[in-house]
Amino acid sequence: AQSVTQPDIHITVSEGASLELRCNYSYGATPYLFWYVQSPGQGLQLLLKYFSGDTLVQGIKGFEAEFKRSQSSFNLRKPSVHWSDAAEYFCAVKGFQKLVFGTGTRLLVSP
Amino acid sequence: DTAVSQTPKYLVTQMGNDKSIKCEQNLGHDTMYWYKQDSKKFLKIMFSYNNKELIINETVPNRFSPKSPDKAHLNLHINSLELGDSAVYFCASSPGTGAGNTIYFGEGSWLTVV
């Protein structure tokens, strides 16, 4: 069965600094990987996804993620964080019929 | 226009009551889902329907009963509400069931049982 680990529960980043959120997955076949963001009191918005091809994928709001099969990782990055990026970020892997989420990483942005 | 819409967004109710959450998608998708987000923000699938047929039921109590009158709608009815049912319930949809189909989520319904 597929699973996702997000090792960081909270991360605090200064505004303007770079960001990397870690995600490791476990899946027996070719993984379909996603990052979603949930702002306070809001729903889940898709940031980006990886299905195949180029291992560096670009998403919305200036985010990107890199798929590394050898490390079973799909880390999310942003070169310069804005205060509006403060939110909960979820990595997920999709197998047949369902999406399995990690436990999320809360991003706090300090001035 | 909201692609996946669910109502109500907020719901406060007493223990023992019965309540429903409605969901509609206008994306023309075949597959719809209900996910539950608990107080620790953990997201877990509850149900999935494909072309109105139930395909996933993840050991959810019988008090929860989904109903899909057509492909565009998936409603969730909850009987005899308990305190532990307090959570955020997300409706979602995808073009199909295959792994390569992206799932799109609604805005969530915040259920509080008092």
Side-chain angles (χ1 to χ4, degrees), chain A residues 10-109:
Chain A
H10 302 281
I11 282 187
T12 301
V13 174
S14 298
E15 191 167 15
S18 63
L19 167 71
E20 182 168 25
L21 301 182
R22 296 184 291 166
C23 171
N24 292 96
Y25 68 90
S26 174
Y27 188 59
T30 301
Y32 295 87
L33 297 160
F34 303 80
W35 275 99
Y36 288 84
V37 60
Q38 184 180 23
S39 298
Q42 300 299 311
L44 291 161
Q45 183 180 22
L46 178 66
L47 280 177
L48 49 77
K49 59 188 179 185
Y50 171 77
F51 284 178
S52 65
D54 194 347
T55 55
L56 185 64
V57 294
Q58 302 297 320
I60 62 171
K61 303 185 180 186
F63 285 92
E64 65 179 27
E66 186 171 14
F67 169 64
K68 292 185 178 180
R69 185 184 296 275
S70 61
Q71 299 176 18
S72 297
S73 69
F74 187 56
N75 294 348
L76 182 71
R77 300 195 295 246
K78 186 170 185 178
S80 177
V81 167
H82 187 260
W83 64 266
S84 61
D85 293 324
E88 192 89 22
Y89 290 79
F90 294 95
C91 182
V93 62
K94 191 162 186 291
F96 182 62
Q97 295 183 345
K98 67 180 180 182
L99 194 62
V100 173
F101 285 90
T103 49
T105 298
R106 174 168 291 185
L107 173 65
L108 306 171
V109 181

Side-chain angles (χ1 to χ4, degrees), chain B residues 23-114:
Chain B
C23 179
E24 175 182 6
Q25 55 96 3
N26 62 7
L27 297 166
H29 290 168
D30 286 344
T31 309
M32 295 187 73
Y33 311 81
W34 279 108
Y35 276 79
K36 179 180 179 180
Q37 185 176 46
D38 62 23
S39 59
K40 296 184 178 180
K41 301 282 188 175
F42 185 62
L43 283 150
K44 192 173 189 298
I45 190 168
M46 300 173 68
F47 300 104
S48 174
Y49 272 72
N50 188 58
N51 284 318
K52 301 194 298 176
E53 289 192 18
L54 180 68
I55 55 173
I56 292 178
N57 182 342
E58 290 278 311
T59 60
V60 178
N62 291 337
R63 299 182 296 103
F64 290 78
S65 54
K67 283 191 171 49
S68 181
D70 55 59
K71 285 198 317 182
H73 296 84
L74 180 61
N75 304 322
L76 183 65
H77 188 75
I78 315 171
N79 290 325
S80 304
L81 278 156
E82 300 176 358
L83 292 176
D85 297 332
S86 296
V88 185
Y89 293 87
F90 284 100
C91 179
S93 74
S94 65
T97 58
N101 287 283
T102 300
I103 297 180
Y104 297 91
F105 287 82
E107 291 291 301
S109 293
W110 271 253
L111 172 64
T112 302
V113 182
V114 297

